Amino acid sequence: DTGVSQDPRHKITKRGQNVTFRCDPISEHNRLYWYRQTLGQGPEFLTYFQNEAQLEKSRLLSDRFSAERPKGSFSTLEIQRTEQGDSAMYLCASRQSGSSYNSPLHFGNGTRLTVT
Amino acid sequence: GDSVTQMEGPVTLSEEAFLTINCTYTATGYPSLFWYVQYPGEGLQLLLKATKADDKGSNKGFEATYRKETTSFHLEKGSVQVSDSAVYFCALSERAAGNKLTFGGGTRVLVKP
């Protein structure tokens, strides 16, 4: 169990640029979640996948945001035309569904995005 | 929709003091409840959980009891250490909502020697 891995750890970009983040979940986990955390706040749900299917998207996920999990393994989160308000920590988490439904999520260390 | 409210910090304590962090929730169904901890420079880690009323979750000297009648899940530790300095998040999940976590705003705890 190598844990949930996120890349990059930090990203600084200029307003208007596109950015893409990657998440590698724990290998046997079929559910993958994306969260956003701003300074001093709790994480907010963005979207989640079961295998390659995106099952839910928060209304926080504007049309500038898109997430994929093409082969049901790693996932990418892309933000187009970044805005300063997108500056946040983007967290990825995974779990195995089909086990006890209340099994916990395992979180990665996050990607910190700064939009200048 | 679901929501979690926890006391705002920062909470500053001396070593060996008693810690309580209040957490209350609203949920449409029967959620599972969690406390996560975020140490400086690290990712979120599960601290403890409880899945049904009157369950007590415990770990590393921390405890929290699922109180359905008061919709609460307060975190307690009898004697804190400097190493307990962190941000603590209360959270819930519901099966009907895809088991995604809904978090409170977090409470920063600073323990001084």
Side-chain angles (χ1 to χ4, degrees), chain B residues 5-9 11 20-23 106-108:
Chain B
T5 303
Q6 60 183 107
M7 60 188 286
E8 291 189 16
V11 175
T20 299
I21 304 176
N22 289 340
C23 171
T107 302
R108 182 174 298 278

Side-chain angles (χ1 to χ4, degrees), chain A residues 21-79:
Chain A
F21 312 139
R22 177 181 171 121
C23 171
D24 288 90
I26 293 171
S27 58
E28 64 269 23
H29 286 183
N30 58 2
R31 284 209 176 172
L32 186 150
Y33 301 77
W34 284 99
Y35 284 80
R36 180 172 66 189
Q37 186 179 16
T38 53
L39 201 61
Q41 302 295 317
E44 297 173 298
F45 169 77
L46 293 179
T47 188
Y48 86 96
F49 294 82
Q50 174 145 331
N51 300 313
E52 64 276 10
Q54 189 172 19
L55 297 188
E56 185 177 347
K57 293 192 293 186
S58 164
R59 61 181 180 275
L60 292 176
L61 214 65
S62 77
D63 56 6
R64 295 185 299 105
F65 288 69
S66 62
E68 294 183 341
R69 195 182 182 198
K71 296 182 181 178
S73 56
F74 73 91
S75 175
T76 58
L77 177 68
E78 181 183 17
I79 309 174

Side-chain angles (χ1 to χ4, degrees), chain A residues 13-18 81-84 115-116:
Chain A
T13 191
K14 294 188 176 184
R15 188 162 49 101
Q17 297 296 303
N18 299 344
R81 305 181 303 280
T82 52
E83 302 173 354
Q84 287 186 321
V115 181
T116 62

Side-chain angles (χ1 to χ4, degrees), chain A residues 95 100-105, chain B residues 4 6 23 25 31-37 45-51 64 66 73 75 88-94 99-104:
Chain A
R95 66 182 289 271
S100 168
Y101 84 96
N102 47 40
S103 61
L105 298 188
Chain B
V4 177
Q6 60 183 107
C23 171
Y25 68 90
S32 292
L33 302 175
F34 304 84
W35 278 99
Y36 277 79
V37 60
Q45 303 173 26
L46 177 67
L47 181 60
L48 54 84
K49 68 176 185 179
T51 59
Y66 190 143
F73 193 54
L75 183 69
Y88 293 83
F89 293 93
C90 186
L92 66 81
S93 72
E94 291 200 82
N99 301 120
K100 63 181 183 289
L101 285 168
T102 299
F103 286 90

Side-chain angles (χ1 to χ4, degrees), chain B residues 19 37 39 60 62 77 79-88 109-111:
Chain B
L19 171 68
V37 60
Y39 297 104
K60 299 182 180 180
F62 289 89
K77 185 172 185 181
S79 177
V80 293
Q81 306 300 313
V82 172
S83 57
D84 293 324
S85 297
V87 182
Y88 293 83
V109 173
L110 177 61
V111 181

